[in-house]
Amino acid sequence: MNDDNAAHVRDRVDAIYRSDSRRVLATLIRLLGDFDLAEEALHDAFATAVEQWPGKGIPSNPSAWLISTGRFKAVDRLRKSARFESADGEVLDRLQARETPDRGEEGVEDDRLRLIFTCCHPALSADAQIALTLREVCGLTTEEVARAFLTPASTLAQRIVRGKSKIRDAGIPYEIPSLSDLPDRLDSVLHVIYLVFNEGYVASAGPELTRESLSAEAIRLGRLLVELLPEPEAMGLLALMLLHEARRAGRTSSVGDLILLEDQDRSLWNREQIQEGVTLVERALTSRRIGPYSLQAAIAAVHAEAPDTASTDWAQIVALYDVLLKAEPSAVIELNRAAAIAMRDGPETGLELIDKILATGELVDYYPAHAARGELCRRLGRVSDARAAYTRTLELVTQEPERRFLERRLMELDSRG
Amino acid sequence: MKYLCLIYDNESEWQKFPKEVQDKYMGEYMAFGDSIKKSGQYVGANQLQPSHTATVVRSRNGKVSTTDGPFVETKEQLGGYYLVEAKDLNDAIQIASRIPSARSGAIEVRPIVERNAA
């Protein structure tokens, strides 16, 4: 063994860690029946690889080797501590009673799906679902997740510990839901992925408008899900994320200021992502099981394919919002529909609809409602109404770039008198 | 695993129901009880007297104090429970979703701490 060889093996181990560690972990959790034990086993398996592979060579099937080494190390670890703790002895008995994992990689992809469904189990709090998914499925470190969500690492670590102990103590099973439970449980998974994406796309607070790495992570998760479980709504969500992500470069100026859709330089949009998104929407829509994510993606696709705001097919967008409202009645969707109607039929009609929504008491503290109202008043030349609406928006907004945008709008209105 | 399914429902609503509605409800409870006995998931169950019959007892430094009423006042009251044997939480959720009060009130599902006889 020479140093060159050792360095080469170390590079390969690093690459295998990046590509396969989540797969190996997912299977170890199934075999060992415990998250913490599986994580230790994963760590032990990679440490052993670094030790042994330079001398013995890299095995032909590295993941299978890592899984069986990890399992062996876990049993060993338990055997040592079992002398002191009877509880470990019980785990050990159970483990040894299980069949040996010599079935190659069969069912390994199912393990990744099991892991996703377990981390996104609706019996866990939303915070715990997100933290566990990013930590266990995506393999981010606790510090990385904490930084992305502007949360102290200690808070995040606690969320993960609590989540794992609920999985263990409440008996959340490590399994893919039955066909009858699948729609509900898939919703929960899609919701977690979309929350992660949105946190990256529209950071809810802080100096930056977006946190790209979270969106990239959500898209990676979306791809994995479509690969493992090609359900129409999983495709719809992936399409929706890609179509939004495609506009990222056009969404903010070089100094990080917000640019509205109508003012964006569309040549900056990522055509490749748009193409992939559009193809996925078309696939999802032909399934005849059309859900809210696919419909939102279809709306995003109409925007993405239009050369500018004026030639956008607003009639089709309004029609899609009508279907979406039936599938998922919500005031936010009504607001978006009102904005589309303003584009189709003129600002006056849109404004009437927004005022009707606000009159119900819904969305009165939702800043996009006041921002949309301000925009329509501005277009109608109702300067003082526009100023009042933007001032209200400014009171509600928590992001710096949004704040700067509104301040700019208010200044423009002032100059108009 | 054993799970306790705590049944929370609106007592005053229930008392306002006409007799035939109450009977229909009880019939549904009977049918549910029979179904989990048949499947071997039933461990135990009881209906509780209304919450106004509750008494809260505390013992501090050897002195017992007794006060009226349930421990926490809530919109929905604890009205009974089932103790069930389930494969895992998903199985327990499936059982709980079939308890008649799941449709009007809510069921809290709590795993039982298992202590092995040493």
Side-chain angles (χ1 to χ4, degrees), chain A residues 402-413:
Chain A
E402 298 268 5
R403 181 179 302 282
R404 287 198 300 272
F405 172 81
L406 291 163
E407 279 164 355
R408 238 172 25 241
R409 272 285 195 254
L410 275 168
M411 248 155 51
E412 286 163 20
L413 285 172

Side-chain angles (χ1 to χ4, degrees), chain A residues 100-118:
Chain A
T100 42
D102 290 337
R103 291 172 294 134
E105 296 213 15
E106 183 194 331
V108 164
E109 291 306 302
D110 282 354
D111 285 336
R112 305 194 80 189
L113 210 47
R114 283 191 184 97
L115 182 57
I116 293 173
F117 276 109
T118 304

